[in-house]
């Protein structure tokens, strides 16, 4: 199950980027499970990784290679079907081994290759299968390889996720294309989520890193399916510089602002696409909190609602159970909360105020508000100017089925 | 579904306590849904209530009555089928009204009556039905009414929960009996949980309150089904003094120590009974964390594991998915966690160490360890002397069904 339309938009090539997707036979024979991304020399990279203390081996190695390679990688190698997490020292060696295999063929240093893995935790990475498939991945490299790559990075996802945005500044055309995967173990601090974005705009690395960190904060860090933080998350932004502009170094230019807007659109679309394809999802729910003392307490309330199993099962049932919303708000830890000032809305329908059901509210309004696949839960705290929105899904039978059966 | 044996042990009368259970027709016609508890004059009471900011009307009124009544109530009135929560000012008036109805018949002041409610949130309390049934509840008062009361306070519970402990000190026999209800919206900070304990030992109120707070901390505050905190939780400990001892005022007596041990046994048994009857539960899981820097970080790890939907669905599938355990430990927020020192055990089987699967571990061992209904997940952090254990359940199809269908 998934929410909303299932249509991957056309993904535009990004000058300086080629992608090759092949089948290494890691999980299911014939399934595309290995993606090689090549970027032009001089590309700068920014990246955000999982904050889970048990981070996977490829995360450790990719971080190292980025740093020692001066944030200018040449290749990214992504496998699905095996997360290479919970694999200890042998896992680190396996991630290095895969990087070396790419480096040998390309004639670059190992540190110019960033490894990524997603899939089952705790199984040894089948390095031999990956090594054997790498030459074919090189052969498959093509500028138009984004759609295939969007397919090739999926695990329990039911559909590929991607977006391209074209924009022009002073008559020059630029492009950004991004793809992402992830459906469960999704929450802020990154998720079982991989996202790769590339633009032809030249950007100096420190600014690129700031920009990515800032935009991840309001997109990928604002979505949650089940509150679990994965061991493998990574979001990488590549700036090839193929457009030939003077590399951006600060925020004071029309090109920077246009680029920022375009990346923001791609990040937000991809982040919301993860939620729409959340495991077992039948609803796409925006939880919008207004009027908190600060943004943090709005986030506290939003995530308490978004993670409440009682709220999520009520959403699955299309049940306007505002009592569970009040209960979730009440346990979010807000200091001196005056419950009589709190207003609760489903879409535009006021359902609770003054600590109880609104007088104007009818059950028919609530049922109508819960009927669509896309729902907004809006809470007005009326105690300040803070604001935050997060996006989440319901909890369905399918969520349990998918996660109970995943390893069997 | 529920875990373990379904047998309410014989509940012993407590001198100074009578209970009457009747049907007021609040939810289902004919179902017992109203319990009146009478205690002898001079009884002292201690109570712990929900910390949810949206606390229910009866919680507000019971707190007031306890305080203004000098912690010496004469009656407790408990209804199920309606939580009288999210009902605003009219809800407060309704709770007061029910107390007055009891007070009038008994010839006591209203503040000597404590109201409690559990059930659906947000519906007006049917005060008329309750008032009409109160005389019958008085008629039903009996010292042997504990078993019926244990039935009468249930909502989505599948079975009654209670325990009596007899103990003797210096040749004198004493008794404590307790009953509890709760199956969902269960987590620390109390739950959709009501618990009533009574002893014939005389105890001064300040000591009684300290004792209850201390024992709730290591029993009811250590269980979680779904992480949701209810609006109605209450745990009340009544000391009738019918045994005739000099009221206990400090901790330095054999009687105090014997009483403490007995209450601890009752609290722990009732708390674990809530989990065993957790909504949709097919497993009873102790999460035991050893070797943390302090108790708090052990609790942080324990609750992160206990609340993880991915861990809970794996438990439902009897899947020894240690990768999800590592991922949960890794996101619990521990500072400077050395993941290579962490040991993960299922019952007595070491399944992961050094950040990966233990060499000695076989999948057969894991499957065998997951087979029983009762499972212990033990984590050895090896960084201090902290220790904490919490108890929880799995996430099943039935959990979703029960909570998706609850209002329909």
């Amino acid at each position: 199950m998934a929410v909303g339309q299932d249509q991957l938009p056309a993904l535009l090539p990004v000058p300086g980027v080629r992608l090759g997707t092949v089948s290494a036979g890691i999980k299911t024979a014939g399934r595309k499970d290995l993606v090689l991304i090549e970027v032009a020399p001089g590309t700068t990279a920014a990246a955000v990784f999982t904050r889970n203390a048990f981070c996977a081996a490829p995360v450790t190695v990719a971080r190292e290679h980025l740093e020692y390679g001066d944030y200018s990688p040449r290749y990214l190698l992504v496998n699905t079907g095996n997360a290479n997490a919970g694999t200890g020292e042998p896992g680190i060696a396996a991630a290095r081994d895969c990087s070396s295999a790419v480096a040998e063929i390309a004639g670059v240093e190992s540190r110019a290759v960033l490894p990524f893995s997603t899939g089952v935790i705790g199984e040894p990475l089948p390095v031999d299968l990956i090594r054997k498939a790498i030459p074919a991945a090189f052969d498959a490299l093509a500028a138009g390889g984004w759609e295939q790559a969007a397919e090739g990075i999926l695990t329990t996802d039911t559909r590929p996720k991607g977006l391209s945005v074209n924009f022009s500044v002073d008559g020059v055309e630029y492009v950004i294309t991004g793809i992402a995967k992830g459906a469960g173990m999704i929450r802020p601090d990154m998720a079982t989520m991989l996202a790769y974005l590339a633009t032809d705009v030249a950007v100096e690395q420190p600014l690129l890193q700031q920009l990515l960190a800032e935009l991840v904060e309001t997109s990928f860090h604002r979505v949650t399916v089940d509150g679990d933080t994965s061991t493998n998350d990574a979001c990488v932004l590549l700036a090839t510089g193929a457009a030939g502009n003077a590399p951006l170094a600060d925020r004071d230019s029309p090109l920077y602002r246009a680029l920022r807007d375009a990346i923001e659109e791609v990040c937000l679309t991809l982040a919301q696409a993860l939620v729409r394809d959340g495991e077992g999802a039948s609803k796409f729910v925006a939880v919008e909190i207004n009027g908190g003392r600060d943004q943090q307490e709005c986030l506290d309330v939003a995530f308490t609602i978004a993670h409440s199993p009682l709220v999520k099962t009520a959403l699955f049932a299309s049940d306007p159970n505002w009592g569970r919303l009040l209960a979730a708000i009440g346990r979010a830890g807000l200091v001196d909360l005056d419950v009589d000032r709190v207003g609760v809305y489903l879409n535009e329908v006021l359902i609770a105020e003054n600590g109880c059901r609104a007088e104007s509210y009818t059950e028919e309004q609530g049922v109508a508000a819960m009927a669509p696949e896309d729902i907004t839960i809006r809470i007005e705290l009326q105690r300040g100017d803070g604001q935050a929105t997060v996006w989440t899904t319901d909890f369905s039978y399918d969520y349990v089925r998918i996660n109970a059966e995943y390893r069997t």
Side-chain angles (χ1 to χ4, degrees), chain A:
Chain A
M1 273 162 85
V3 182
Q5 296 229 322
D6 176 14
Q7 202 157 26
L8 186 69
L11 299 181
L12 304 173
V14 176
V17 181
R18 296 195 305 161
L19 309 94
T21 301
V22 296
S23 176
I26 297 168
K27 200 177 170 188
T28 316
R31 179 170 168 177
K32 307 273 184 180
D33 53 16
L34 192 69
V35 177
L36 182 68
I37 305 177
E38 178 195 73
V39 291
T43 293
T44 54
V48 176
F49 293 102
T50 180
R51 294 179 200 157
N52 196 307
F54 278 97
C55 72
V59 169
T60 302
V61 174
R63 268 207 196 102
E64 267 177 30
H65 284 192
L66 265 177
E67 192 177 336
Y68 294 113
D70 209 19
Y71 298 92
S72 192
R74 291 293 318 286
Y75 292 90
L76 287 71
L77 182 70
V78 193
N79 74 271
T80 65
N82 186 308
N84 193 10
T87 45
E89 276 304 320
I92 299 278
R96 287 197 217 284
D97 204 3
C98 291
S99 300
S100 300
V102 171
E104 281 160 26
I105 294 176
V108 300
E109 293 192 76
S110 274
R111 64 189 184 191
V113 183
L114 311 181
F116 302 88
S117 298
T118 180
V120 177
I121 297 177
E123 299 294 327
L125 188 72
V127 177
D128 285 351
L129 291 177
I130 294 173
R131 288 192 79 112
K132 243 182 259 172
I134 286 173
F138 271 96
D139 290 343
L141 285 174
W146 283 97
E147 279 96 348
Q148 283 214 331
E151 287 278 356
I153 61 176
L154 304 182
T155 51
T156 58
D157 309 59
T158 69
R159 56 205 199 187
K161 302 157 184 79
L163 185 70
S164 290
V165 174
N166 255 325
F167 58 101
S168 65
V169 177
D170 294 334
V172 183
E173 283 268 324
Y174 303 91
V175 66
I176 171 144
T177 292
I179 57 174
K181 64 91 28 180
M185 228 191 219
I186 294 280
R187 71 153 275 153
D189 305 346
M190 310 301 286
T192 309
M193 179 203 110
L194 298 173
Y196 304 96
L197 289 76
T199 179
D200 54 348
V201 178
V203 188
E204 303 242 343
Q205 204 278 335
L207 182 63
L208 195 69
Q209 183 66 41
Q210 283 168 30
L211 180 60
L212 181 64
E214 190 180 306
L215 294 177
V216 162
E217 190 55 44
T218 54
S219 59
F220 295 112
H221 283 184
R222 295 286 163 87
V223 297
T224 181
V225 169
D226 49 22
D228 276 297
T229 306
S230 141
T231 48
N232 287 59
D233 301 338
C235 175
V236 181
L237 171 59
L238 302 156
T240 67
N245 62 296
L248 298 176
D250 62 51
R251 294 158 186 260
D252 294 326
S253 71
L255 178 55
Y256 174 82
R257 287 190 292 273
L259 176 66
R260 187 193 184 289
D261 289 349
I263 297 176
E264 185 171 31
E265 186 182 343
V266 174
C267 283
L268 205 56
T269 301
L270 292 179
Q272 294 185 358
L274 300 180
V275 174
R276 287 184 184 278
D277 195 21
E279 287 170 349
S282 72
K283 297 280 184 192
F284 175 79
V285 185
V287 183
E288 177 187 333
I289 315 295
N290 298 319
R293 286 192 181 152
D294 52 33
Q295 187 185 55
Q296 188 55 52
E297 73 171 34
C298 294
L299 286 170
D300 291 343
V301 173
F303 280 119
T304 304
I305 290 173
H307 290 150
S308 161
L310 289 173
V311 170
K312 291 170 100 76
T313 46
L315 286 165
F316 171 53
S318 292
D319 174 6
N321 197 320
W322 51 272
R324 294 184 185 173
L325 292 172
L326 291 187
I329 298 163
R331 70 175 168 91
L334 268 56
V335 176
D336 299 330
L337 177 66
D338 181 354
V339 298
D340 285 345
R341 293 180 65 82
V342 177
V344 178
Y345 295 77
L346 279 179
N347 300 333
E348 289 310 306
V349 178
L350 172 67
I351 57 170
E353 62 181 345
N354 299 317
C356 59
R357 182 164 49 197
E359 278 191 34
S360 60
Y361 174 74
T362 64
E363 192 76 6
E364 292 67 41
Q365 286 181 314
V367 170
M370 293 293 282
E373 283 189 332
D374 282 30
I375 292 171
T376 297
I377 296 170
R378 177 158 62 88
I379 310 295
E380 299 289 341
L381 295 173
Q382 298 203 77
R383 54 194 242 135
D385 296 324
Q387 201 284 325
T389 300
V390 308
W391 296 273
T392 191
T393 59
D394 56 327
F395 249 164
S396 65
Y397 295 116
D398 274 356
Y399 178 85
V400 176
R401 183 184 54 73
I402 291 164
N403 284 294
E405 291 176 2
Y406 184 50
R407 290 216 324 178
T408 53

